[in-house]
Amino acid sequence: DVATGKNTVTDDSNWRLLDLPHDWSIEGEFSKDNPAKPEGGALPGGIGWYRKTFSVPASSKNKLVYIEFDGVYQKSTVWINGHELGFRPNGYIGFRYELTSYLHYDKPNIIAVKADNSTQPNSRWYSGSGIYRNVRLVTTNDIAVSQWGTYVTTTNVSDRSAKVALTTQFNTGKQHNPVFIKTIIYDANGKEVASDLVNSMAATVSQQFIITNPALWSVDDPHLYKAVTKVYRFKKDTQPVDTYTTTFGIRTFSFDKDKGFILNGKPTKILGVCNHHDLGSLGAAFNIRAAERQLEILKAMGCNAIRTSHNPPAPELLDLCDKMGFIVMDEAFDCWAKPKAEFDYHLYFNEWHERDLTDMLLRDRNHPSVIMWSVGNEIPEQGDTTGTIIAKKLAAIVRKYDDRPITTGNDKPWAGNFIIKSGAMDLVGINYHQWDFEKFHDIFPGKIFIGTETTSALQTRGHYDMPSDSIRRWPNNKEMKNGIGEMNADNTVSAYDNVSAPWGSTHEESWKLIKKHDYLSGMFIWTGFDYMGEPTPYVWPSRSSYFGIIDLAGFPKDIYYMYQSEWTNKPVLHIFPHWNWPAGKTVDIWAYYNNADEVELFLNGKSLGIRKKTGEDLHVMWRVQFEPGTVKAVSRKNGKMVLTKEIHTAGAPAKIELVADRSTINADGKDLSFITARIVDKDGNVVPDADNKIDF
């Protein structure tokens, strides 16, 4: 500090006290001049230092002590008592350092972390900055299961039985004496269903179990088992020197070139979304409840799959996917040796890719939700021979540790694609190019399709441009002549599902294709939630995406209900837009519905006619001249009413309603309540164009 003459790295007397996880970028000011640019979220990066002073009890002497980080963005360096432990450039990878040799037991210890996010742009979306995932201090005996030291596989799975194999790696201690390993498997109710006891001097131990009448993990019934492994020095010991729990599921799955994805013997369409890692206004700091809420909203829509775009996720996200029943495409890299941004991971790929990919595989391979690995997204090496070389190397690393299928997201999915030509990928991942979906077997005979990234439709919640039945491709330029009209001066985009990016398609256009053919095994829509950065089709002052089915705050856009009507069996009737318009304006009213034969629309009690979906229709529409009052829709099946919905013309703003998402939360400093603020008129109708400022 030039002003005080203090070394602010060593003098922490004026430092903030804060809790982890933490993202300092979200606390900054948005600016188009920040090096990350609006495409990267328009928030500042920089260099951050963290320090913690802690004591180690005498009981930890002669034990092993580690520090584990689930992710630090980015270029982290860690010290303990002045000793440098290591450097990790990748901001999304978990890592661990041993502290044992450098600890004090008679005075406090100081751990320091430097997170360097100063060289930007290094990401194509909002990255966040700092220790934005969880950290643990781990103490073990000299004999203990290694970090990510277990690997569970299941074979010979049927309704009557399943074979479970557990491989465990552990530290054997200085004496290298035989140790006894007892593993008990419990079902979801805590009932013991199998056990095994072995003794070994080896650092790797294999155990086999037979589970009778197994409950299979699926997206509808995500049953989980736990293998509790206890390590004993001597067979007669009653207290183990280590206990390690591995959660796993029993399921079978396969991909077929004609039938698509098959889970537990049942053809299952993958109904997925791509999600970036930020949590809206919470930034990149991971919070379990915020992530759980996102998954709850997606589950209610009928979504059954998540692509971790374009990086390994927080480990708790995979725990939630296991528990809640989501298929996961676990993705490692957004780039290889060639750059997409000036300071991105390409600078470190050659040196670090094997370590980073291996760590992801070891950490994530026991999750039953993980169905496939993606080793790259829109990789520039698709277009040259290095794509073949690197693809084969990455695939070999994956197959060394796991046998689940491998893919990449290809935005140049042509027969000449060097990654696809390498033969290293099990699934041909296609980003967009929906016009080629029905030609897939002609272009790639005998190959298996997965829509790694589809759609890129654009919408602003609550904004509507008419006519609704004309498609806009935004932004337009000389190379993109299929757009019509001009973009909006207020940086909004219509929520009618009539706008997409030029490389993509509307939601309805994409789903009609995927729905039609069994061999199109599934799709990952870009995106489930809006996210910070990449404000296509606009630039500043826009600074977050328009791609989401759900907006940045977690409110569904209207298209959410199209998916709900197609992807679930729950009765759906959703009509829009709002009913506050200038007198005499012609307004298009859409309805998404299911479990019904028809929908009838009424305006102020007068029928405007019955509409029925025909052919490939996913919605019905009325073109109506606005008059204030009430719009009412009635869906019927076999002449009987299924659902009714009403929209009222709202009056002037009169009051604020606050609605909490749950009545009880845990008082642990981590749980969250999401409170919806609604501006309503005197009759309780939401005022759709209210712009009142609310201070919280």
Side-chain angles (χ1 to χ4, degrees), residues 62-353:
N62 301 317
K63 294 188 177 183
L64 305 177
V65 182
Y66 304 89
I67 185 88
E68 294 181 355
F69 296 85
D70 288 338
V72 180
Y73 203 92
Q74 66 163 341
K75 293 189 293 183
S76 68
T77 310
V78 182
W79 291 263
I80 180 69
N81 296 327
H83 175 83
E84 183 176 328
L85 293 168
F87 169 76
R88 291 301 286 261
N90 191 318
Y92 300 102
I93 293 294
F95 54 91
R96 162 169 154 168
Y97 298 120
E98 186 176 349
L99 309 181
T100 312
S101 302
Y102 313 105
L103 291 175
H104 305 312
Y105 293 90
D106 55 351
K107 61 180 180 179
N109 296 273
I110 299 176
I111 192 159
V113 179
K114 177 185 178 183
D116 184 353
N117 193 19
S118 60
T119 49
Q120 293 182 335
N122 56 54
S123 177
R124 299 185 301 116
W125 56 87
Y126 176 74
S127 64
S129 298
I131 306 176
Y132 70 121
R133 293 181 181 170
N134 283 309
V135 185
R136 289 170 297 280
L137 192 69
V138 177
T139 303
T140 74
N141 286 297
D142 60 331
I143 299 173
V145 176
S146 303
Q147 183 189 28
W148 311 320
T150 58
Y151 180 36
V152 179
T153 57
T154 58
T155 55
N156 301 334
V157 177
S158 69
D159 292 337
R160 291 184 293 179
S161 67
K163 182 179 179 181
V164 176
L166 175 67
T167 302
T168 306
Q169 286 192 318
F170 57 94
N171 302 320
T172 55
K174 296 178 181 178
Q175 302 301 318
H176 298 288
N177 291 324
V179 293
F180 293 84
I181 301 99
K182 183 176 184 179
T183 298
I184 302 174
I185 296 180
Y186 299 92
D187 67 12
N189 299 315
K191 178 184 176 183
E192 180 180 331
V193 294
S195 65
D196 183 59
L197 174 67
V198 297
N199 70 312
S200 175
M201 288 186 63
T204 302
V205 173
S206 296
Q207 295 175 283
Q208 306 283 339
F209 309 86
I210 299 295
I211 308 295
T212 57
N213 303 315
L216 302 186
W217 185 93
S218 70
V219 293
D220 298 319
D221 184 13
H223 191 96
L224 296 173
Y225 289 86
K226 286 185 178 180
V228 179
T229 300
K230 296 186 177 183
V231 184
Y232 299 88
R233 292 185 191 274
F234 304 103
K235 189 174 183 179
K236 66 178 184 297
D237 285 353
T238 57
Q239 294 299 317
V241 292
D242 192 34
T243 300
Y244 193 96
T245 299
T246 306
T247 301
F248 68 98
I250 300 173
R251 79 280 189 267
T252 65
F253 71 89
S254 62
F255 285 87
D256 183 271
K257 67 180 181 65
D258 298 315
K259 298 177 182 178
F261 179 63
I262 300 167
L263 180 63
N264 298 326
K266 177 184 176 182
T268 303
K269 190 77 82 174
I270 293 173
L271 309 173
V273 299
C274 303
N275 268 352
H276 275 314
H277 70 295
D278 76 75
L279 295 168
S281 60
L282 299 178
F286 186 80
N287 179 278
I288 289 179
R289 173 55 196 159
E292 180 184 50
R293 172 178 175 259
Q294 285 194 340
L295 293 177
E296 287 172 350
I297 294 167
L298 288 168
K299 196 73 172 180
M301 185 182 82
C303 174
N304 67 14
I306 303 291
R307 179 191 183 203
T308 67
S309 313
H310 300 290
N311 45 261
E316 295 91 345
L317 180 70
L318 297 182
D319 292 338
L320 289 169
C321 289
D322 290 344
K323 182 175 70 173
M324 299 173 69
F326 284 89
I327 293 163
V328 174
M329 177 190 293
D330 203 349
E331 192 152 76
F333 306 119
D334 186 49
C335 68
W336 295 347
K338 292 188 175 183
K340 293 183 178 179
E342 184 177 359
F343 301 107
D344 66 15
Y345 184 70
H346 83 279
L347 297 171
Y348 307 98
F349 179 82
N350 288 334
E351 179 181 356
W352 283 97
H353 71 269

Side-chain angles (χ1 to χ4, degrees), residues 452-518:
T452 37
E453 192 169 314
T454 70
T455 311
S456 270
L458 305 167
Q459 297 177 333
T460 300
R461 181 176 62 88
H463 180 88
Y464 305 93
D465 292 336
M466 289 163 260
S468 65
D469 51 0
S470 62
I471 303 295
R472 292 93 157 153
R473 310 292 184 194
W474 285 358
N476 304 312
N477 60 33
K478 291 180 180 178
E479 291 77 39
M480 301 171 181
K481 297 181 181 295
N482 54 344
I484 61 171
E486 298 293 331
M487 296 191 293
N488 296 332
D490 61 356
N491 283 29
T492 58
V493 181
S494 174
Y496 273 120
D497 191 34
N498 59 346
V499 186
S500 82
W503 58 82
S505 50
T506 67
H507 290 280
E508 291 196 3
E509 287 173 328
S510 302
W511 172 236
K512 285 176 183 178
L513 285 169
I514 296 291
K515 177 182 180 180
K516 189 185 300 184
H517 302 289
D518 291 342

